[in-house]
């Protein structure tokens, strides 16, 4: 049985790009099991794609091949790469997209995909997802080792998701993602607070000078319509509104600042 | 071969939530066959999700495991449950979501999912789809009986989709759903009309005092652009516009009233 | 192992229509491997669906069954058909939708699907995707020959995608599709230019009297924000903006005219 293949792209679902890529996967690995993580990464937004891939990766089977394409530099100087990390493989452009997930999964080894005999013949310069990355991911799923598909690439492009910083007696984080419900996922984790205060549960969150209170564990801990801070399922604190949208209520967007200070 | 697993959620497809849930399914049932019913249930809209699950359920294979998550009360007092009905299983929150589909498929038996040894370790309080429902659905797909996954739950939350009522010599229904084409699917069925009038085909539909005529069998029975009443594929009458949107033309939305009276 | 089944519809993903169709496929072919090409064809837009199916078809495995439903005439006089072409099958309404893909794959033979014993019992007049096309596609995937599913249909409805025309010393094409990135895919191919000029790479594109320059091979060949003409991955020239949307910048839509003349 081949390794499962998990897809993340900025292709959207209105065009045929995802379907065509799946067709190539299946043509090269007829028993491929393909999972869509998301195809709604904002066009060209490498940081958003890296954040989403990093969040999803640990929940996929331990032998997964991740095929991720957010690739505004396709056809130019950026290299096509794959990484081996923690038993998984990650395939995509060398622009930082794979880095946070790869380093979360293990100590990654990168390979420059420079063996055209594993690609579609006559590859285009604008759709490496179809012509290069899909046949390579299918080969990895079938058991071909990355050593055959490319050569070691010791200096991949790295990308670090924004991390919290100290400002006086406050910890300053930011919103990394707004989800479908309007929950604002921050870059603050319980461990970030625990490094500074004895009891993270007493830490007080605020945005734009307005206090949002201390963290709760679930939405129904507050009344419908109330704003709350939540230790979210992603491992990060989230700003939410019970039965509503925090993003709409508080006019939040990616990059909005969140402060935390000690409770009294 | 495991039972197929059919998914219905309000997670949307822009976040990684669906992909992560599928990753967990596959990690626990490597040969899982997963079908997406829809992930576009309006956030937290249990009635809409129940209506869609009820409509789809009979068309899935007879051994399907339905995994449905529209769960605004996640982490609070609502219980996680599964139901066995007509050879299928349904897994989700005990908030009414599963009820219309379960009772359509058979005489349901419910179980409270209270055996954490079948969940992911350290389950979150906000993403039971990933941490609790997915591993349980995978276990059901693999053949684990619900008796091992929980304890009998004789009093599940019930939910009844709106039913038509009589008002003088008229039958009053309402719009339950607007589909992608702008067709307005009502809660009126041919059998509701047959109980009252000898020939449902002569019954006259109206909305807001405006007569829409008697039912047709297909769109092309009227001229392009014309409004028509249709005996729809869902088993309910629909208000439609040939090659157009009835919702836009007639300003329809969920809850819009539809009246039926005897033809002359 | 059954043939893979590739889906293309105008059903959207917010309703359960696609999920129900997949349920029927799986109920009739329990090992079906189903690929979604797209379900976002604009409602009833046969030309758009035909263009997308034509573009995707060559990349799917060589034994694929294509199930395509953009079917505003469902239940009326249009016939349900299947085509055999180049080893693949295509199933859908006889309204031209299948024609460009079928003729691209081979010399198609069409069959009128007139054997109700292969359909769901009591088929509706409004959802042949579920009641007729899905069980027929499942039968084809399982190996049933089209000769058993219908009778030869020598006069299928044909549909020709718009082709470029000559106007004086210029070649006039048009925009066939706007993709998620705002790239405008034209109906002009390198071979169309090569028929007229020795070196297509010197041909100059223009829209609305404004020159867009000669074709490039990849986005990064120009500066961020610049407009460029690109020999796209679909085999057609595209109008694009590096790291931006050509459709927004140049107010392009399907049908926008593109002219090409000899370079100096």
């Amino acid at each position: 049985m081949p390794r499962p293949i998990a897809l993340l792209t900025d292709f959207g679902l209105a065009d045929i790009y995802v379907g065509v890529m799946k067709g190539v996967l299946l043509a090269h690995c007829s028993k491929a099991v393909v999972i869509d993580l998301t195809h709604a990464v904002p066009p060209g937004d490498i940081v958003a794609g890296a954040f989403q891939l990093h969040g999803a990766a640990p929940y996929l089977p331990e032998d997964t091949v991740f095929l991720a394409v957010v690739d505004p530099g396709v056809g130019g100087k950026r290299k096509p790469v794959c990484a081996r990390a923690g038993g998984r493989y990650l395939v995509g452009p060398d622009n930082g997209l794979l880095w946070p997930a790869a380093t979360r999964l293990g100590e990654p080894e990168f390979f420059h995909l420079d063996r055209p005999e594993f690609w579609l013949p006559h590859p285009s310069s604008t759709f490496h997802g179809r012509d290069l990355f899909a046949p390579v991911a299918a080969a990895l799923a079938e058991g071909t080792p990355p050593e055959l598909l490319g050569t070691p690439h010791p200096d991949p492009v790295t990308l670090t998701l924004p991390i919290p910083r100290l400002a006086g007696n406050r910890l300053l984080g930011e919103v990394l993602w707004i989800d479908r419900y309007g929950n604002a996922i921050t870059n603050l984790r319980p461990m970030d607070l625990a490094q500074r205060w004895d009891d993270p549960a007493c830490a007080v969150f605020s945005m734009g000078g307005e206090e949002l209170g201390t963290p709760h564990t679930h939405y129904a801990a507050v009344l419908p319509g109330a704003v709350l801070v939540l230790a979210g399922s992603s491992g990060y604190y989230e700003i939410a509104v019970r039965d509503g949208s925090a993003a709409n209520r508080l006019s939040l967007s990616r990059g909005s600042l969140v402060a935390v200070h000690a409770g009294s």
Side-chain angles (χ1 to χ4, degrees), chain A residues 10-11 23 67 108 111 136 161 167 184 192 198 220 225 252 254:
Chain A
D10 66 349
F11 295 172
L67 170 45
F111 297 84
V136 163
L161 297 171
D192 299 319
D198 289 344
L252 306 181
R254 282 165 63 193

Side-chain angles (χ1 to χ4, degrees), chain A residues 71-80 93-94 112 119 124-128 132-133:
Chain A
D71 195 10
V74 61
K77 282 178 285 185
R78 74 94 187 93
K79 290 181 168 138
D94 187 26
H112 174 204
W119 310 347
S124 70
S125 300
T126 55
F127 194 0
H128 283 184
L132 190 163
F133 296 126

Side-chain angles (χ1 to χ4, degrees), chain A residues 226-240:
Chain A
V227 175
L228 74 160
V229 177
L230 201 64
S233 64
S234 58
Y236 296 102
Y237 289 104
E238 303 177 12
I239 316 298

Side-chain angles (χ1 to χ4, degrees), chain A residues 15-253:
Chain A
D15 300 302
I16 55 172
Y17 302 141
V18 172
V20 161
M21 201 167 66
K22 290 180 180 174
V24 174
L25 287 172
L26 214 64
H28 287 73
C29 175
S30 65
K31 302 199 173 187
V33 174
V34 179
I35 297 174
D36 296 297
L37 296 178
T38 185
H39 299 289
V41 176
D45 190 336
I46 297 166
V47 173
F51 171 73
Q52 294 193 289
L53 187 62
H54 167 268
Y59 293 97
L60 278 286
E62 295 191 354
D63 58 348
T64 296
V65 177
F66 294 91
L67 170 45
V69 191
V70 180
D71 195 10
V74 61
K77 282 178 285 185
R78 74 94 187 93
K79 290 181 168 138
V81 292
C82 94
R84 175 164 52 204
R88 286 83 156 179
Y89 295 116
L90 304 98
V91 178
D94 187 26
N95 60 13
L97 176 67
L98 308 178
W99 183 258
T103 50
R104 184 173 185 180
L105 293 172
E107 187 76 40
E109 286 174 277
F110 278 79
F111 297 84
H112 174 204
L113 299 166
D114 55 5
R115 306 280 165 77
E117 63 268 31
F118 287 97
W119 310 347
L120 292 199
H122 314 298
S124 70
S125 300
T126 55
F127 194 0
H128 283 184
R130 177 190 71 191
D131 299 338
L132 190 163
F133 296 126
V136 163
L140 288 165
E142 290 277 24
T144 308
E147 285 80 0
L148 287 183
L149 300 163
T151 51
H153 179 55
D155 293 313
V157 173
T158 62
L159 181 156
T160 307
L161 297 171
I163 55 173
R165 60 192 163 87
L166 282 171
N169 59 350
R170 301 186 309 160
L171 192 59
L172 285 183
E174 65 181 86
V175 173
L176 292 185
W177 190 252
I178 306 286
D179 77 9
R180 189 197 190 202
Y181 304 93
N183 299 324
I185 298 159
T186 75
N187 62 344
L188 293 155
R189 297 164 299 174
M191 61 177 285
D192 299 319
L193 277 59
Q195 283 174 355
R196 186 154 172 76
W197 298 293
D198 289 344
D199 187 356
C202 293
V204 178
F205 284 67
S206 60
M207 297 191 79
E210 192 186 349
E211 290 204 352
L212 305 174
T214 56
H216 293 273
T217 58
H218 57 287
Y219 302 102
V222 301
L223 293 174
V227 175
L228 74 160
V229 177
L230 201 64
S233 64
S234 58
Y236 296 102
Y237 289 104
E238 303 177 12
I239 316 298
V241 164
R242 179 174 172 191
D243 301 341
S245 163
N248 287 349
R249 172 78 73 81
L250 303 172
S251 299
L252 306 181
S253 57

